[in-house]
Amino acid sequence: MLFNPSFVDQNNTSPQRYNERDFEYLQRSGRPEAANIRALLETWFVDYPDEHKKDLYKRMIAREPDFLSPFFELMLHALFRTVGAEIFVHPKVSENSDKRPDFLIRLSNDFEFYLEAVLARGQSDKESKHQATLREVYDIINRNLESPEYLWEVTVLEHGHAPISGKQIVYEIGKFRKGISYSEVMEQCQKHGLNKTPIRYIFEQGGWRLEFIPIPKKEECIGKSNHRPLGVFSMPKVVRCKDDDDIRKAVNSKVKHHSIDGKPYIIAVNACNRSAQSEDFMDALYGSGVLNITTYSYGSHQLKFTRACDGVWLDKRGHPKNSNLIAVLGVRKLTPWTIESASLIAFENPYISYPPKARIAGLPRYEVADGMLNFVEGKTLGQLFKLPWEWP
């Protein structure tokens, strides 16, 4: 059993805390949505091979790295069972190799390939540590800050190099709050707008600089305790999205570590960053988009879209590589809450004679036909798992 029913508190319908792991939240929550997710994952877990359940369970409940990695593997195992395939977990490649890919898949037509699962997290280890620190601080603030008349907008102006005290923030914000009046805050917000009001507090410690702006509640909501004091989280500046780089690095890490001769393999990637788009998979796998502009002497221009030689299947000179990697299965922002609407798309290797038997029934895909890369419609994960549209 994956979840312990005795740990579920049916009366606890509070939202997930910032520093609360997904598994911890699902295990204790009395919300119907959490119950539906528990039931689905429990069904998948029952079908997982008995000899591998203990290891998967340990990874599910572990604090590091996170719940999404074992969840992704469990979902893939369930998916391939759904399409009628045989799945072998951590198979031995040969007597002379200690490599153990995540899965060996045998489709209903007897086509076999190895399957590796990986997350493209969109964060460096340093960024992950910063986020973990902030989540812990935010939980301390929400539990301890008394703020009956305000919600607070938080902006991280600078990331620090040392631990930060949530209790100190609570003390200083509380002191700041007592020195301002509700009417004054309301007047300044109406005059300048919520983001530009001059009433704000800067907290500095250990290299961290956090800005807190009081947002006045409506008078009828003042004193009600069903709101957490932290209400808005803003970014101090524009950040360049690099989701294609993250996807490319995730695939290449698996290629380097798990490339197996003699049998085709596929890598499944869950792009976890909120900004990830399908085009990021295209750029990572087939090469970054390049717009070539040719200017002629008589003043006209010709535009031609091409792709750079920085994808997974071409080297820098434009020569095919990784020919055993026949496809990448890509999905964006997959969590237990987003299964119904998510699509696992097969991006086929365009530089090999792609085996039709390798195509997985029901999945949308990009395939090469007549020298063009074409998209073929398929089913969402929700449709494949027969989940209700209002999931969870």
Side-chain angles (χ1 to χ4, degrees), residues 19 52 76 79 89 105 127 129 142 181 237 260-261 265 291 313 323 332 362 385:
N19 201 36
H52 296 288
L76 290 169
L79 175 66
V89 179
I105 307 294
E127 290 169 333
K129 290 179 180 178
N142 276 329
S181 69
K237 58 184 177 181
I260 300 165
D261 295 330
Y265 67 104
L291 185 63
W313 285 300
S323 58
R332 298 180 294 118
F385 287 123

Side-chain angles (χ1 to χ4, degrees), residues 78-148:
L79 175 66
F80 280 99
R81 282 182 58 87
T82 298
V83 299
E86 286 186 85
I87 310 101
F88 304 91
V89 179
H90 299 308
K92 191 172 184 178
V93 174
S94 70
E95 295 297 329
N96 300 321
S97 174
D98 59 357
K99 291 181 178 179
R100 294 270 186 170
D102 291 329
F103 304 104
L104 171 63
I105 307 294
R106 182 182 297 143
L107 298 178
S108 57
N109 58 21
D110 291 329
F111 185 85
E112 290 187 354
F113 59 89
Y114 292 114
L115 177 67
E116 282 289 330
V118 65
L119 304 184
R121 300 178 185 275
Q123 285 186 329
S124 65
D125 291 341
K126 184 178 180 181
E127 290 169 333
S128 296
K129 290 179 180 178
H130 283 159
Q131 290 303 312
T133 297
L134 290 170
R135 286 195 298 269
E136 184 174 352
V137 168
Y138 294 158
D139 276 341
I140 293 173
I141 296 173
N142 276 329
R143 289 196 303 266
N144 297 282
L145 179 62
E146 293 185 9
S147 184

Side-chain angles (χ1 to χ4, degrees), residues 16 23 31 45 83 114 138 270 274 302 343 381 384:
Q16 186 173 0
F23 188 89
R31 289 187 171 186
F45 191 66
V83 299
Y114 292 114
Y138 294 158
N270 181 7
R274 292 181 180 180
Q302 183 181 36
S343 291
L381 291 176
L384 291 168

Side-chain angles (χ1 to χ4, degrees), residues 226-296:
N226 59 338
H227 291 292
R228 296 186 285 189
L230 298 184
V232 181
F233 301 86
S234 301
M235 298 181 67
K237 58 184 177 181
V238 176
V239 178
R240 185 184 76 86
C241 296
K242 50 181 181 179
D243 298 299
D244 56 332
D245 290 339
D246 295 325
I247 294 168
R248 189 181 297 110
K249 289 176 182 176
V251 172
N252 285 334
S253 70
K254 285 293 184 178
V255 168
K256 182 179 179 180
H257 190 64
H258 287 289
S259 181
I260 300 165
D261 295 330
K263 192 182 291 291
Y265 67 104
I266 291 174
I267 295 175
V269 182
N270 181 7
C272 301
N273 207 20
R274 292 181 180 180
S275 58
Q277 302 295 327
S278 294
E279 186 60 34
D280 294 312
F281 279 96
M282 302 292 287
D283 289 345
L285 303 176
Y286 300 114
S288 303
V290 177
L291 185 63
N292 293 320
I293 304 175
T294 303
T295 302
Y296 296 99

Side-chain angles (χ1 to χ4, degrees), residues 187-205:
E187 180 184 347
Q188 292 298 324
C189 285
Q190 291 174 345
K191 181 178 180 180
H192 300 283
L194 295 178
N195 292 329
K196 296 183 179 180
T197 172
I199 301 177
R200 59 190 65 204
Y201 180 77
I202 305 294
F203 177 85
E204 298 183 75
Q205 185 182 77

